[in-house]
PDB file of all heavy atoms in Angstrom:
ATOM      1  N   LYS A 133     158.943  72.963  88.303  1.00 94.00           N
ATOM      2  CA  LYS A 133     157.810  72.690  89.194  1.00 94.00           C
ATOM      3  C   LYS A 133     156.476  73.014  88.528  1.00 94.00           C
ATOM      4  O   LYS A 133     155.487  72.296  88.714  1.00 94.00           O
ATOM      5  CB  LYS A 133     157.960  73.515  90.473  1.00 94.00           C
ATOM      6  CG  LYS A 133     156.938  73.217  91.553  1.00 94.00           C
ATOM      7  CD  LYS A 133     157.204  74.079  92.775  1.00 94.00           C
ATOM      8  CE  LYS A 133     156.284  73.725  93.922  1.00 94.00           C
ATOM      9  NZ  LYS A 133     156.596  72.423  94.509  1.00 94.00           N
ATOM     10  N   VAL A 134     156.453  74.090  87.731  1.00 95.00           N
ATOM     11  CA  VAL A 134     155.197  74.481  87.077  1.00 95.00           C
ATOM     12  C   VAL A 134     155.098  73.935  85.650  1.00 95.00           C
ATOM     13  O   VAL A 134     154.198  74.310  84.888  1.00 95.00           O
ATOM     14  CB  VAL A 134     155.017  76.023  87.072  1.00 95.00           C
ATOM     15  CG1 VAL A 134     155.016  76.564  88.494  1.00 95.00           C
ATOM     16  CG2 VAL A 134     156.093  76.716  86.234  1.00 95.00           C
ATOM     17  N   GLY A 135     156.034  73.062  85.285  1.00 94.00           N
ATOM     18  CA  GLY A 135     155.953  72.384  83.999  1.00 94.00           C
ATOM     19  C   GLY A 135     156.316  73.224  82.793  1.00 94.00           C
ATOM     20  O   GLY A 135     155.795  73.007  81.693  1.00 94.00           O
ATOM     21  N   LEU A 136     157.246  74.163  82.985  1.00 95.00           N
ATOM     22  CA  LEU A 136     157.590  75.076  81.883  1.00 95.00           C
ATOM     23  C   LEU A 136     159.097  75.198  81.669  1.00 95.00           C
ATOM     24  O   LEU A 136     159.590  76.243  81.230  1.00 95.00           O
ATOM     25  CB  LEU A 136     156.995  76.469  82.141  1.00 95.00           C
ATOM     26  CG  LEU A 136     155.467  76.574  82.089  1.00 95.00           C
ATOM     27  CD1 LEU A 136     155.014  77.949  82.525  1.00 95.00           C
ATOM     28  CD2 LEU A 136     154.952  76.276  80.673  1.00 95.00           C
ATOM     29  N   SER A 137     159.826  74.134  81.936  1.00 95.00           N
ATOM     30  CA  SER A 137     161.283  74.186  81.762  1.00 95.00           C
ATOM     31  C   SER A 137     161.679  74.563  80.341  1.00 95.00           C
ATOM     32  O   SER A 137     162.707  75.219  80.126  1.00 95.00           O
ATOM     33  CB  SER A 137     161.897  72.826  82.122  1.00 95.00           C
ATOM     34  OG  SER A 137     161.732  72.551  83.485  1.00 95.00           O
ATOM     35  N   ASP A 138     160.878  74.168  79.374  1.00 96.00           N
ATOM     36  CA  ASP A 138     161.227  74.418  77.971  1.00 96.00           C
ATOM     37  C   ASP A 138     160.882  75.831  77.513  1.00 96.00           C
ATOM     38  O   ASP A 138     161.156  76.197  76.366  1.00 96.00           O
ATOM     39  CB  ASP A 138     160.511  73.406  77.075  1.00 96.00           C
ATOM     40  CG  ASP A 138     158.993  73.478  77.191  1.00 96.00           C
ATOM     41  OD1 ASP A 138     158.503  73.849  78.280  1.00 96.00           O
ATOM     42  OD2 ASP A 138     158.297  73.153  76.212  1.00 96.00           O
ATOM     43  N   LYS A 139     160.296  76.654  78.405  1.00 96.00           N
ATOM     44  CA  LYS A 139     159.855  77.996  78.002  1.00 96.00           C
ATOM     45  C   LYS A 139     160.714  79.112  78.598  1.00 96.00           C
ATOM     46  O   LYS A 139     160.381  80.285  78.466  1.00 96.00           O
ATOM     47  CB  LYS A 139     158.397  78.218  78.444  1.00 96.00           C
ATOM     48  CG  LYS A 139     157.394  77.237  77.864  1.00 96.00           C
ATOM     49  CD  LYS A 139     157.249  77.387  76.368  1.00 96.00           C
ATOM     50  CE  LYS A 139     156.176  76.463  75.820  1.00 96.00           C
ATOM     51  NZ  LYS A 139     156.071  76.557  74.334  1.00 96.00           N
ATOM     52  N   ARG A 140     161.848  78.759  79.208  1.00 95.00           N
ATOM     53  CA  ARG A 140     162.575  79.774  79.967  1.00 95.00           C
ATOM     54  C   ARG A 140     163.128  80.900  79.101  1.00 95.00           C
ATOM     55  O   ARG A 140     163.315  82.021  79.586  1.00 95.00           O
ATOM     56  CB  ARG A 140     163.694  79.129  80.778  1.00 95.00           C
ATOM     57  CG  ARG A 140     164.790  78.483  79.975  1.00 95.00           C
ATOM     58  CD  ARG A 140     165.734  77.728  80.892  1.00 95.00           C
ATOM     59  NE  ARG A 140     166.835  77.142  80.145  1.00 95.00           N
ATOM     60  CZ  ARG A 140     167.467  76.034  80.503  1.00 95.00           C
ATOM     61  NH1 ARG A 140     167.076  75.383  81.591  1.00 95.00           N
ATOM     62  NH2 ARG A 140     168.468  75.566  79.800  1.00 95.00           N
TER      63      ARG A 140
END
Side-chain angles (χ1 to χ4, degrees):
K133 186 179 185 70
V134 301
L136 292 173
S137 294
D138 60 330
K139 300 294 184 183
R140 65 187 182 209

